[in-house]
Amino acid sequence: MRKVILAALMAATILPAAAMAQTRELANDRQDIRQEQRGLRQAQRYGDKRDIRNERRDVREAKQEYREDWRDYRKDNRKFYARGQWHSSFRYHAFRPGVRIAPGYYASRYVIANPGRYRLPPARGINRWVRHYDDVLLVNMRTGYVVDVIRNFYW
C-alpha cells in the first residue's frame, strides 16, 4: 500500500511539471516568430529582395508550426476546454463588445479565476474573464460593459 501511495505522489508532482514545460515551449515558439518578424522588417528596410523572400517564408513556416503546436496543446489538455455539465441560471445570448450586461452574467461564480491556465491574456485592472456558456467575455466589473468576446472557446 505504501508503494502505491508513494507512486501516486510522485506522479502528482511530475505531471504538472510536464504541462508547464509544454507551455514554456509554446511561449518560446511565439518569441522565435517575433524575432523572425523583426528580421523581416530589417531586411525590408535595407532592400535585399532575396533575404526578404527567405524571411517571409521562414515567418510563414514558423506561424504554421506554432498553430500546429497550439492544436496539439489543446488536444493534449482537452479537459481544460471541455464543456462538461456547465449550466447557468439564464439563457444563452451572443454578446458583443460595448454592450452592458446585468450583474448576474458576471457574478463571482462565472469569473475565470486563473486565465493563464486557459492561455487567455491577463485581465488588467477591474476587468475579469467570465464564462458565458461556450463563450468567454472580458467584462469591466465596475460598469458591466463587455470589453472583448471570444466565441466558442469551450468546444
XYZ file of all heavy atoms in Angstrom, residues 30-108:
707
model
N 6.549 31.353 -29.854
C 5.994 32.665 -30.145
C 7.107 33.721 -30.157
O 7.125 34.606 -31.013
C 4.937 33.028 -29.099
C 4.217 34.316 -29.421
C 3.187 34.682 -28.410
N 2.204 33.630 -28.251
C 1.543 33.408 -27.135
N 1.740 34.144 -26.085
N 0.643 32.453 -27.066
N 8.059 33.613 -29.241
C 9.171 34.556 -29.206
C 10.031 34.420 -30.459
O 10.475 35.417 -31.030
C 10.005 34.308 -27.958
C 11.119 35.306 -27.761
C 11.876 35.055 -26.472
O 11.632 34.087 -25.783
N 12.802 35.931 -26.168
N 10.263 33.195 -30.924
C 11.038 32.991 -32.147
C 10.346 33.625 -33.353
O 10.997 34.211 -34.214
C 11.243 31.499 -32.406
C 12.170 30.849 -31.386
O 12.895 31.587 -30.683
O 12.142 29.603 -31.292
N 9.019 33.516 -33.412
C 8.271 34.129 -34.515
C 8.462 35.638 -34.496
O 8.693 36.259 -35.535
C 6.778 33.755 -34.427
C 6.596 32.272 -34.747
C 5.945 34.618 -35.373
C 5.200 31.757 -34.475
N 8.397 36.238 -33.314
C 8.589 37.693 -33.219
C 9.979 38.096 -33.686
O 10.145 39.104 -34.384
C 8.362 38.151 -31.788
C 6.927 38.144 -31.385
C 6.749 38.808 -30.035
N 5.416 38.541 -29.532
C 5.153 37.988 -28.368
N 6.116 37.670 -27.548
N 3.913 37.788 -27.990
N 10.995 37.323 -33.322
C 12.346 37.645 -33.747
C 12.486 37.530 -35.262
O 13.144 38.364 -35.900
C 13.344 36.721 -33.050
C 13.534 37.047 -31.586
C 14.435 36.047 -30.886
O 14.772 35.003 -31.446
N 14.818 36.357 -29.662
N 11.853 36.525 -35.858
C 11.908 36.383 -37.307
C 11.180 37.530 -37.999
O 11.605 38.005 -39.047
C 11.324 35.040 -37.722
C 12.222 33.872 -37.369
C 11.663 32.538 -37.792
O 10.669 32.522 -38.540
O 12.230 31.514 -37.389
N 10.073 37.997 -37.404
C 9.369 39.132 -37.991
C 10.230 40.389 -37.922
O 10.223 41.199 -38.843
C 8.032 39.345 -37.284
C 7.003 38.302 -37.652
C 5.715 38.438 -36.868
O 5.701 38.943 -35.750
N 4.622 37.975 -37.447
N 10.973 40.560 -36.814
C 11.881 41.704 -36.728
C 12.944 41.620 -37.818
O 13.285 42.625 -38.444
C 12.555 41.739 -35.360
C 11.702 42.351 -34.314
C 12.495 42.575 -33.032
N 11.590 42.309 -31.941
C 11.683 41.323 -31.069
N 12.707 40.501 -31.110
N 10.790 41.156 -30.127
N 13.479 40.419 -38.061
C 14.471 40.248 -39.116
C 13.897 40.580 -40.484
O 14.575 41.159 -41.326
N 12.616 40.231 -40.691
C 11.953 40.551 -41.953
C 11.839 42.058 -42.133
O 12.126 42.588 -43.204
C 10.572 39.908 -41.990
C 9.693 40.224 -43.195
C 10.356 39.733 -44.467
C 8.335 39.590 -43.034
N 11.468 42.763 -41.078
C 11.355 44.221 -41.178
C 12.714 44.855 -41.472
O 12.808 45.794 -42.271
C 10.762 44.783 -39.897
C 9.269 44.568 -39.800
C 8.655 45.389 -38.696
N 9.084 44.954 -37.373
C 8.438 44.082 -36.613
N 7.321 43.547 -37.044
N 8.882 43.743 -35.426
N 13.771 44.349 -40.860
C 15.106 44.890 -41.114
C 15.524 44.620 -42.556
O 16.093 45.489 -43.224
C 16.114 44.277 -40.152
C 15.978 44.805 -38.747
C 16.938 44.130 -37.790
O 17.630 43.176 -38.159
N 16.982 44.614 -36.561
N 15.228 43.439 -43.060
C 15.578 43.115 -44.450
C 14.811 44.013 -45.415
O 15.345 44.444 -46.435
C 15.293 41.648 -44.739
N 13.555 44.325 -45.084
C 12.772 45.201 -45.942
C 13.357 46.612 -45.949
O 13.355 47.290 -46.966
C 11.324 45.240 -45.476
C 10.552 43.989 -45.812
C 9.152 43.983 -45.225
O 8.867 44.690 -44.267
N 8.294 43.163 -45.785
N 13.852 47.053 -44.799
C 14.448 48.392 -44.727
C 15.672 48.502 -45.625
O 15.895 49.516 -46.263
C 14.859 48.700 -43.294
C 13.796 49.358 -42.521
C 14.316 49.859 -41.206
N 13.269 49.583 -40.239
C 13.435 48.990 -39.086
N 14.620 48.637 -38.693
N 12.421 48.764 -38.300
N 16.478 47.462 -45.621
C 17.735 47.534 -46.346
C 17.632 47.030 -47.772
O 18.586 47.111 -48.529
C 18.829 46.805 -45.565
C 19.035 47.429 -44.205
C 18.779 46.719 -43.051
C 19.432 48.751 -44.088
C 18.943 47.293 -41.806
C 19.589 49.338 -42.849
C 19.347 48.609 -41.711
O 19.501 49.182 -40.485
N 16.484 46.497 -48.184
C 16.182 46.257 -49.586
C 16.761 45.019 -50.234
O 16.833 44.963 -51.450
N 17.170 44.013 -49.521
C 17.667 42.790 -50.142
C 16.479 41.872 -50.437
O 15.921 41.254 -49.546
C 18.671 42.098 -49.217
C 19.364 40.931 -49.907
O 19.024 40.641 -51.066
O 20.240 40.329 -49.276
N 16.082 41.768 -51.708
C 14.876 41.037 -52.109
C 14.959 39.544 -51.783
O 13.995 38.945 -51.353
C 14.631 41.214 -53.603
C 14.444 42.645 -54.000
C 13.037 42.874 -54.395
C 12.928 44.275 -54.945
N 11.910 45.015 -54.341
N 16.107 38.933 -51.998
C 16.249 37.511 -51.735
C 16.083 37.226 -50.239
O 15.406 36.282 -49.848
C 17.617 37.049 -52.205
C 17.727 35.578 -52.373
C 18.992 35.188 -53.122
N 19.734 36.329 -53.616
C 21.033 36.532 -53.430
N 21.746 35.657 -52.799
N 21.647 37.584 -53.905
N 16.694 38.063 -49.412
C 16.549 37.886 -47.968
C 15.106 38.096 -47.527
O 14.628 37.408 -46.629
C 17.454 38.863 -47.206
C 18.919 38.463 -47.286
O 19.181 37.297 -47.644
O 19.783 39.309 -46.996
N 14.429 39.027 -48.157
C 13.038 39.296 -47.798
C 12.182 38.068 -48.084
O 11.370 37.648 -47.256
C 12.497 40.528 -48.553
C 13.178 41.788 -48.038
C 10.992 40.639 -48.393
C 12.850 43.028 -48.828
N 12.365 37.456 -49.261
C 11.599 36.255 -49.589
C 11.901 35.132 -48.612
O 10.993 34.432 -48.158
C 11.900 35.807 -51.018
C 11.171 36.607 -52.075
C 11.244 35.906 -53.414
N 12.602 35.775 -53.911
C 13.220 36.660 -54.694
N 12.587 37.748 -55.063
N 14.447 36.460 -55.097
N 13.173 34.949 -48.276
C 13.545 33.902 -47.326
C 12.953 34.169 -45.945
O 12.465 33.249 -45.284
C 15.067 33.776 -47.226
C 15.682 33.214 -48.494
O 14.985 32.573 -49.279
N 16.959 33.467 -48.698
N 13.013 35.417 -45.512
C 12.466 35.766 -44.195
C 10.950 35.562 -44.168
O 10.406 35.054 -43.192
C 12.804 37.212 -43.828
C 14.256 37.444 -43.495
C 14.662 36.800 -42.185
O 13.816 36.659 -41.294
O 15.840 36.428 -42.055
N 10.272 35.956 -45.237
C 8.813 35.763 -45.295
C 8.456 34.283 -45.224
O 7.516 33.885 -44.537
C 8.242 36.364 -46.577
C 8.079 37.845 -46.516
C 7.366 38.362 -47.736
N 7.257 39.806 -47.663
C 7.220 40.599 -48.699
N 7.252 40.094 -49.920
N 7.123 41.901 -48.547
N 9.213 33.476 -45.961
C 8.969 32.040 -45.924
C 9.208 31.483 -44.518
O 8.415 30.684 -44.009
C 9.862 31.324 -46.937
C 9.531 29.833 -47.054
C 10.489 29.074 -47.943
N 11.802 29.025 -47.310
C 12.924 29.540 -47.823
N 12.900 30.131 -48.992
N 14.065 29.460 -47.172
N 10.283 31.937 -43.872
C 10.589 31.466 -42.517
C 9.488 31.862 -41.530
O 9.084 31.062 -40.684
C 11.924 32.028 -42.041
C 13.108 31.435 -42.807
O 12.915 30.391 -43.480
O 14.210 32.016 -42.713
N 9.006 33.086 -41.654
C 7.937 33.550 -40.758
C 6.665 32.743 -40.995
O 5.992 32.314 -40.052
C 7.683 35.063 -40.940
C 6.402 35.492 -40.248
C 8.862 35.858 -40.419
N 6.335 32.516 -42.266
C 5.147 31.739 -42.600
C 5.247 30.319 -42.038
O 4.298 29.805 -41.452
C 4.957 31.724 -44.121
C 3.642 31.187 -44.584
C 3.411 31.401 -46.077
N 4.526 31.039 -46.926
C 5.270 31.908 -47.619
N 5.004 33.192 -47.577
N 6.269 31.493 -48.374
N 6.406 29.706 -42.195
C 6.597 28.352 -41.664
C 6.543 28.333 -40.135
O 5.980 27.421 -39.537
C 7.931 27.793 -42.145
C 7.936 27.453 -43.624
C 9.325 27.089 -44.130
O 10.293 27.136 -43.334
O 9.440 26.775 -45.326
N 7.118 29.356 -39.514
C 7.102 29.417 -38.047
C 5.682 29.587 -37.529
O 5.296 28.967 -36.526
C 7.989 30.559 -37.561
N 4.884 30.414 -38.195
C 3.490 30.593 -37.777
C 2.702 29.304 -37.941
O 1.897 28.952 -37.081
C 2.827 31.709 -38.588
C 3.238 33.086 -38.163
C 2.500 34.133 -38.972
C 2.877 35.520 -38.542
N 2.175 36.553 -39.331
N 2.933 28.603 -39.042
C 2.257 27.327 -39.272
C 2.627 26.318 -38.189
O 1.773 25.626 -37.645
C 2.617 26.777 -40.660
C 2.013 25.431 -40.961
C 0.502 25.478 -41.061
O -0.069 26.484 -41.443
N -0.144 24.391 -40.696
N 3.906 26.266 -37.864
C 4.369 25.348 -36.821
C 3.759 25.708 -35.465
O 3.362 24.835 -34.696
C 5.892 25.414 -36.751
C 6.501 24.388 -35.844
C 8.018 24.438 -35.909
O 8.564 24.538 -37.022
O 8.631 24.384 -34.832
N 3.664 27.008 -35.184
C 3.065 27.445 -33.925
C 1.587 27.038 -33.853
O 1.114 26.568 -32.819
C 3.202 28.960 -33.769
C 2.530 29.486 -32.537
C 3.100 29.303 -31.285
C 1.310 30.134 -32.617
C 2.475 29.769 -30.147
C 0.683 30.603 -31.482
C 1.279 30.418 -30.250
O 0.655 30.876 -29.120
N 0.853 27.215 -34.963
C -0.559 26.816 -34.983
C -0.703 25.317 -34.742
O -1.589 24.877 -34.013
C -1.210 27.204 -36.313
C -1.554 28.672 -36.417
C -2.437 28.946 -37.618
N -1.784 28.672 -38.887
C -1.084 29.558 -39.579
N -0.932 30.777 -39.134
N -0.538 29.233 -40.725
N 0.185 24.525 -35.346
C 0.132 23.076 -35.128
C 0.437 22.731 -33.670
O -0.225 21.876 -33.076
C 1.120 22.377 -36.059
C 0.716 22.422 -37.517
C 1.823 21.959 -38.450
O 2.907 21.578 -37.951
O 1.611 21.982 -39.673
N 1.416 23.404 -33.085
C 1.749 23.161 -31.672
C 0.573 23.538 -30.777
O 0.281 22.859 -29.794
C 2.983 23.953 -31.255
C 4.254 23.412 -31.881
O 4.214 22.278 -32.406
O 5.281 24.122 -31.851
N -0.099 24.646 -31.118
C -1.245 25.094 -30.323
C -2.377 24.070 -30.415
O -3.010 23.753 -29.418
C -1.704 26.467 -30.797
C -2.933 26.970 -30.127
C -4.105 27.296 -30.725
C -3.136 27.215 -28.728
N -5.017 27.729 -29.802
C -4.447 27.682 -28.560
C -2.337 27.068 -27.609
C -4.972 28.006 -27.323
C -2.871 27.400 -26.377
C -4.167 27.859 -26.249
N -2.640 23.524 -31.612
C -3.656 22.490 -31.757
C -3.306 21.255 -30.930
O -4.159 20.684 -30.264
C -3.811 22.099 -33.227
C -4.780 22.973 -33.970
C -5.046 22.445 -35.369
N -4.912 23.570 -36.265
C -3.970 23.719 -37.180
N -3.095 22.778 -37.392
N -3.906 24.796 -37.912
N -2.043 20.864 -30.973
C -1.605 19.710 -30.182
C -1.768 19.973 -28.689
O -2.186 19.092 -27.939
C -0.143 19.367 -30.481
C 0.048 18.841 -31.895
O -0.966 18.428 -32.518
O 1.189 18.860 -32.385
N -1.447 21.189 -28.260
C -1.589 21.544 -26.846
C -3.048 21.428 -26.413
O -3.353 20.881 -25.361
C -1.073 22.962 -26.615
C -1.297 23.458 -25.208
C -0.436 23.101 -24.184
C -2.378 24.277 -24.904
C -0.639 23.533 -22.890
C -2.594 24.716 -23.614
C -1.713 24.351 -22.609
O -1.929 24.777 -21.334
N -3.953 21.949 -27.237
C -5.377 21.883 -26.881
C -5.885 20.442 -26.884
O -6.717 20.083 -26.065
C -6.202 22.745 -27.818
C -6.051 24.216 -27.459
C -7.029 25.071 -28.137
N -8.381 24.851 -27.675
C -9.278 25.802 -27.563
N -8.956 27.033 -27.846
N -10.490 25.533 -27.191
N -5.374 19.619 -27.799
C -5.772 18.213 -27.796
C -5.277 17.508 -26.544
O -5.995 16.728 -25.927
C -5.217 17.494 -29.030
C -6.004 17.737 -30.280
C -5.392 16.964 -31.430
C -6.039 17.334 -32.735
N -5.368 16.681 -33.877
N -4.024 17.771 -26.178
C -3.438 17.119 -25.006
C -4.094 17.576 -23.708
O -4.130 16.837 -22.730
C -1.939 17.387 -24.934
C -1.185 16.705 -26.062
O -1.770 15.797 -26.706
O -0.023 17.079 -26.309
N -4.591 18.803 -23.678
C -5.191 19.363 -22.467
C -6.678 19.602 -22.670
O -7.226 20.630 -22.265
C -4.483 20.660 -22.073
C -3.047 20.412 -21.733
O -2.755 19.713 -20.784
N -2.144 20.945 -22.533
N -7.321 18.666 -23.314
C -8.736 18.785 -23.644
C -9.612 18.986 -22.414
O -10.623 19.666 -22.465
C -9.178 17.531 -24.397
C -10.531 17.644 -25.028
C -10.829 16.434 -25.869
N -10.009 16.337 -27.049
C -10.316 16.880 -28.218
N -11.404 17.566 -28.343
N -9.525 16.733 -29.250
N -9.196 18.459 -21.280
C -10.018 18.571 -20.075
C -10.190 20.025 -19.637
O -11.199 20.373 -19.044
C -9.420 17.748 -18.946
C -8.087 18.247 -18.464
C -7.541 17.394 -17.355
C -6.184 17.958 -16.973
N -5.221 16.994 -16.667
N -9.218 20.887 -19.933
C -9.356 22.300 -19.571
C -10.404 22.998 -20.426
O -11.003 23.979 -20.011
C -8.031 23.040 -19.735
C -6.985 22.614 -18.760
C -5.680 22.498 -19.165
C -7.298 22.324 -17.450
C -4.698 22.113 -18.281
C -6.329 21.933 -16.554
C -5.023 21.829 -16.974
N -10.605 22.522 -21.644
C -11.507 23.169 -22.588
C -12.819 22.418 -22.768
O -13.616 22.769 -23.623
C -10.806 23.307 -23.946
C -9.534 24.097 -23.861
C -8.309 23.465 -23.711
C -9.559 25.473 -23.875
C -7.140 24.188 -23.605
C -8.399 26.201 -23.772
C -7.200 25.561 -23.641
O -6.040 26.286 -23.526
N -13.028 21.386 -21.983
C -14.232 20.568 -22.128
C -15.466 21.322 -21.658
O -15.409 22.127 -20.734
C -14.078 19.277 -21.334
N -16.585 21.053 -22.300
C -17.830 21.717 -21.921
C -18.325 21.229 -20.571
O -18.711 21.983 -19.724
C -18.890 21.454 -22.979
C -18.606 22.187 -24.246
C -19.704 21.989 -25.236
N -19.418 22.802 -26.403
C -19.873 22.558 -27.584
N -20.646 21.524 -27.794
N -19.573 23.346 -28.588
N -18.353 19.937 -20.384
C -18.786 19.382 -19.109
C -20.263 19.629 -18.839
O -21.054 19.928 -19.724
N -20.647 19.523 -17.577
C -22.031 19.722 -17.146
C -22.205 21.143 -16.622
O -22.552 21.362 -15.478
C -22.378 18.696 -16.062
C -22.334 17.268 -16.538
C -23.372 17.005 -17.613
O -24.491 17.511 -17.566
N -23.000 16.216 -18.607
N -21.927 22.123 -17.454
C -21.982 23.511 -17.033
C -23.316 24.108 -17.431
O -23.696 24.062 -18.598
C -20.849 24.293 -17.675
C -20.738 25.666 -17.157
C -20.071 26.055 -16.043
C -21.302 26.840 -17.714
N -20.186 27.395 -15.868
C -20.954 27.905 -16.888
C -22.089 27.104 -18.816
C -21.335 29.207 -17.127
C -22.477 28.400 -19.056
C -22.103 29.432 -18.221
N -24.039 24.659 -16.471
C -25.320 25.305 -16.736
C -25.380 26.604 -15.962
O -24.760 26.750 -14.918
C -26.478 24.409 -16.301
C -26.527 23.108 -17.041
N -26.903 23.002 -18.358
C -26.209 21.850 -16.653
C -26.833 21.743 -18.734
N -26.405 21.018 -17.715
N -26.139 27.522 -16.466
C -26.321 28.781 -15.751
C -27.815 29.014 -15.536
O -28.657 28.318 -16.080
C -25.721 29.932 -16.543
O -26.442 30.126 -17.734
N -28.103 30.034 -14.760
C -29.497 30.324 -14.427
C -30.169 31.205 -15.476
O -31.276 31.682 -15.259
C -29.554 30.995 -13.053
O -28.762 32.170 -13.086
N -29.520 31.444 -16.595
C -30.074 32.306 -17.636
C -29.853 31.679 -19.001
O -29.067 30.764 -19.148
C -29.443 33.697 -17.577
C -27.953 33.671 -17.369
C -27.088 33.436 -18.410
C -27.426 33.840 -16.107
C -25.737 33.391 -18.216
C -26.060 33.801 -15.906
C -25.217 33.578 -16.956
N -30.544 32.203 -20.011
C -30.439 31.670 -21.366
C -29.210 32.222 -22.068
O -28.696 33.268 -21.728
C -31.689 32.033 -22.159
C -32.930 31.354 -21.605
C -34.154 31.703 -22.374
N -33.985 31.271 -23.764
C -34.664 31.775 -24.765
N -35.554 32.708 -24.555
N -34.471 31.342 -25.988
N -28.801 31.515 -23.128
C -27.652 31.970 -23.904
C -28.016 33.206 -24.703
O -29.101 33.309 -25.284
C -27.172 30.867 -24.859
C -26.063 31.340 -25.752
C -24.781 31.453 -25.264
C -26.309 31.711 -27.068
C -23.752 31.904 -26.065
C -25.295 32.162 -27.883
C -24.013 32.255 -27.374
O -22.994 32.721 -28.169
N -27.085 34.147 -24.734
C -27.228 35.345 -25.549
C -25.847 35.672 -26.101
O -24.881 35.708 -25.343
C -27.758 36.512 -24.708
C -27.948 37.760 -25.492
N -29.048 37.946 -26.290
C -27.191 38.861 -25.630
C -28.953 39.133 -26.876
N -27.826 39.703 -26.489
N -25.739 35.895 -27.398
C -24.445 36.210 -28.011
C -24.142 37.693 -27.779
O -24.696 38.562 -28.445
C -24.472 35.900 -29.499
N -23.281 37.967 -26.817
C -22.912 39.351 -26.517
C -21.830 39.823 -27.470
O -21.090 39.035 -28.040
C -22.410 39.457 -25.072
C -23.471 39.200 -24.059
C -23.415 38.079 -23.258
C -24.531 40.077 -23.909
C -24.389 37.829 -22.315
C -25.513 39.837 -22.971
C -25.441 38.719 -22.179
N -21.707 41.117 -27.602
C -20.653 41.718 -28.408
C -19.996 42.820 -27.577
O -20.605 43.328 -26.628
C -21.194 42.254 -29.723
C -22.196 43.368 -29.576
C -22.765 43.789 -30.934
N -23.576 44.964 -30.799
C -24.817 44.987 -30.326
N -25.388 43.864 -29.930
N -25.484 46.111 -30.237
N -18.773 43.208 -27.919
C -18.100 44.255 -27.144
C -18.883 45.573 -27.169
O -19.490 45.936 -28.171
C -16.755 44.418 -27.857
C -16.533 43.114 -28.527
C -17.892 42.613 -28.916
N -18.870 46.250 -26.029
C -19.549 47.537 -25.921
C -20.938 47.450 -25.319
O -21.567 48.467 -25.046
N -21.456 46.252 -25.106
C -22.801 46.062 -24.555
C -22.704 45.983 -23.038
O -21.782 45.381 -22.496
C -23.423 44.765 -25.124
C -24.734 44.455 -24.452
C -23.590 44.870 -26.614
N -23.647 46.575 -22.364
C -23.696 46.475 -20.911
C -24.574 45.288 -20.540
O -25.677 45.134 -21.058
C -24.262 47.756 -20.316
C -24.181 47.754 -18.813
C -24.457 49.117 -18.269
N -24.192 49.094 -16.844
C -24.828 49.828 -15.973
N -25.737 50.676 -16.372
N -24.539 49.742 -14.706
N -24.069 44.465 -19.624
C -24.816 43.274 -19.240
C -25.177 43.349 -17.758
O -24.576 44.101 -16.997
C -24.021 41.986 -19.545
C -22.686 41.956 -18.806
C -23.815 41.826 -21.026
C -21.915 40.674 -18.987
N -26.171 42.567 -17.376
C -26.652 42.548 -15.995
C -25.613 41.882 -15.084
O -24.870 41.002 -15.521
C -27.968 41.790 -15.915
N -25.568 42.275 -13.812
C -24.586 41.704 -12.885
C -24.700 40.187 -12.731
O -23.707 39.530 -12.406
C -24.893 42.398 -11.561
C -25.556 43.675 -11.945
C -26.312 43.383 -13.201
N -25.845 39.617 -12.985
C -25.991 38.166 -12.883
C -25.120 37.417 -13.871
O -24.726 36.281 -13.634
N -24.798 38.040 -15.001
C -23.981 37.407 -16.019
C -22.504 37.365 -15.632
O -21.746 36.562 -16.143
C -24.109 38.127 -17.359
C -25.420 37.883 -18.047
C -26.427 38.838 -18.026
C -25.645 36.699 -18.726
C -27.632 38.614 -18.664
C -26.840 36.463 -19.369
C -27.837 37.425 -19.330
O -29.013 37.193 -19.954
N -22.065 38.275 -14.777
C -20.655 38.290 -14.398
C -20.474 38.157 -12.890
O -19.548 38.700 -12.297
C -19.930 39.517 -14.950
C -20.491 40.859 -14.536
C -19.989 41.530 -13.433
C -21.492 41.472 -15.271
C -20.486 42.766 -13.063
C -21.991 42.700 -14.914
C -21.475 43.353 -13.807
O -21.966 44.578 -13.457
N -21.356 37.388 -12.273
C -21.242 37.110 -10.840
C -19.966 36.315 -10.569
O -19.364 35.734 -11.481
C -22.468 36.336 -10.366
N -19.550 36.264 -9.322
C -18.273 35.649 -8.964
C -18.205 34.172 -9.358
O -17.131 33.659 -9.644
C -18.017 35.794 -7.471
O -19.031 35.142 -6.740
